[in-house]
Amino acid sequence: MTGKAGRIDDRYSTDEKYTTLRGIHRDARRHLSEAEWNYLWCGTGDEVTLKDNVAAFDRYRFVAPLFAGIDYPTTLTNVLGFDLSFPAFIAPFGGEVAFHPEGHRAIGRAAEAVGIQQMVPVAASYPLEDIAAASSVASVFQITFVGDEGAVLDLMERAKAAGYKYICVTYSPIRQWRERMMEDRFSIRGETGPANFGPGRSDPAALVELLDFTQPRWNWQQAKRAIARAPLPCIVKGVMSVQDAHAALDAGAVGLYVSNYGGRTVDRTPAALDVLPSIRRAVGREIPIIFDSGVRRGSDIATALALGANAVALGRLIALGLAADGEHGVRRTLELLQREFWTTLGHLGCSKVADLSDAVLYQPEQSLTR
C-alpha cells in the first residue's frame, strides 16, 4: 500500500515474499552475525529499560466497539507540515551499513515509496547530502549539541543547503554502556569512518569532543542560543519529563520527540510510553509530539497516538527490514505496519487518525459501572 488512495486487499493469498513482520524478523536474524544482531537488539546495562519499553505497550488493552458506524478508515495524516500515508517517520539511527551496504539511501527510497518522511542521523554511514539525493523524503537531520557552537551551526547550514526542513536536536552527556557490544568488541563492517566529518565536510571537533569529553556539556542556555541561530526549525529528542518538555519549548523547539533512545543510553529510566501521557497533558494539544522506544506493531502505533503522540519514529523495525532484504525489506516492513495500523484503526471504531484518543483504551474500573 502506498500513500495513494486505494483499498487494502487483505486476503491471505499473496505472492509477496513477506506476509508478516515475523518473516522479516526471521530473515534478518538469519542474515546477521551474532555481533551484528547484538548491535541491533541490545540496550544498556541489564537492559531493563529495553524490556520495559516493549512491556509498557503490552499493559494496554483496547475497547473494540460494536456498530460504530465508521467510514472506510484512512491512515493519512499530517505532522510537522508533512503529509504522511500513516503516522510514522524513519528514526535517526546510525551505523546502518552493518545491516545493508546501501544504508539510509535504501531506507529513504523505501520511505518515499510508502509515503512517509525520513530522519537522518549525524552518525549515518553516508554524508547527509548523499542521503538527501537518494530520495525526496530526507527531511529531518539529527545532530547532537556538543562541542563548539559554531561547528554545530555550520553542520545545520549544510543540512539546510541539502534540502532538509527540520533539525532534530539530541544531547549525549556520557558514552553508553552497552555490554553486549563491549563483549563482542563490535565494529561496523563496511564503514570507513565518520561520513559527515573530515576534509571537505564538517569539522570533526564536535565528534572528537563527544568521545573525549574535554569540556562541560551544553546546558539549556547554550541550546537555546543555538536553536535561536539555527537556519531550520528544531525539534528536541530525548524528552522524558514534563520539566524537559517545558525547557525544550522555552528554548525555542517547535516540536518534542519523546524517547529514551530505545533503552540504548542509560538503563533503568522509565519506559517512554509511561511518560508520554503526562507530557501531552502538560504541553497541550497543539505541540507536535513524535514518539519512539518499544514500537513493534501497528497496534503499538495506535496505542502511542491514543496516549498523545502525533506520530511514531521507527528504528529497530527498519533495521530489521534492511537486514532482511535491503530496500525491499524496509518497504515491506512499512507496508505491513501500515496495514496493521489500518486494521487496528477500523476495529477501534476510528475512521481517521484524529479519532484516536484514550477512549479506545480499556479502563477496567470504568467498565464495571456500565
Side-chain angles (χ1 to χ4, degrees), residues 227-241:
I227 289 172
R229 297 175 63 193
L232 294 170
C234 295
I235 63 174
V236 173
K237 179 178 179 181
V239 175
M240 284 289 291
S241 69

Side-chain angles (χ1 to χ4, degrees), residues 140-255:
V140 183
F141 183 66
Q142 174 269 319
I143 183 171
T144 304
F145 275 10
V146 66
D148 179 71
E149 290 181 35
V152 169
L153 289 164
D154 286 344
L155 191 53
M156 289 195 279
E157 291 285 357
R158 271 182 65 194
K160 180 181 180 181
Y164 292 82
K165 305 303 182 186
Y166 289 89
I167 298 296
C168 175
V169 175
T170 58
Y171 172 70
S172 182
I174 301 287
R175 298 297 290 169
Q176 302 87 357
W177 191 264
R178 299 174 186 168
E179 291 191 348
R180 283 201 254 177
M181 292 174 62
M182 295 160 73
E183 290 184 342
D184 290 337
R185 294 168 171 82
F186 180 73
S187 62
I188 298 173
R189 68 174 173 177
E191 276 206 334
T192 58
N196 279 307
F197 300 96
R201 297 172 186 165
S202 290
D203 187 341
L207 181 64
V208 172
E209 177 57 29
L210 181 65
L211 299 173
D212 290 351
F213 203 153
T214 65
Q215 308 169 28
R217 289 306 198 230
W218 283 29
N219 55 34
W220 276 113
Q221 288 72 32
Q222 288 174 285
K224 182 175 184 178
R225 187 163 60 241
I227 289 172
R229 297 175 63 193
L232 294 170
C234 295
I235 63 174
V236 173
K237 179 178 179 181
V239 175
M240 284 289 291
S241 69
V242 169
Q243 179 181 2
D244 277 343
H246 285 310
L249 296 175
D250 289 345
V254 299

Side-chain angles (χ1 to χ4, degrees), residues 285-339:
R285 297 301 310 177
E286 299 305 312
I287 300 298
I289 295 180
I290 311 299
F291 172 89
D292 78 21
S293 302
V295 175
R296 297 290 183 270
R297 289 278 187 182
S299 55
D300 293 341
I301 299 174
T303 302
L305 266 64
L307 291 172
N310 295 97
V312 302
L314 305 167
R316 280 189 177 93
L317 290 179
I318 300 306
L320 285 173
L322 193 64
D325 198 14
E327 181 180 335
H328 177 264
V330 175
R331 178 172 179 169
R332 192 63 183 146
T333 296
L334 292 170
E335 289 171 346
L336 288 167
L337 280 167
Q338 184 180 12
R339 290 180 181 224

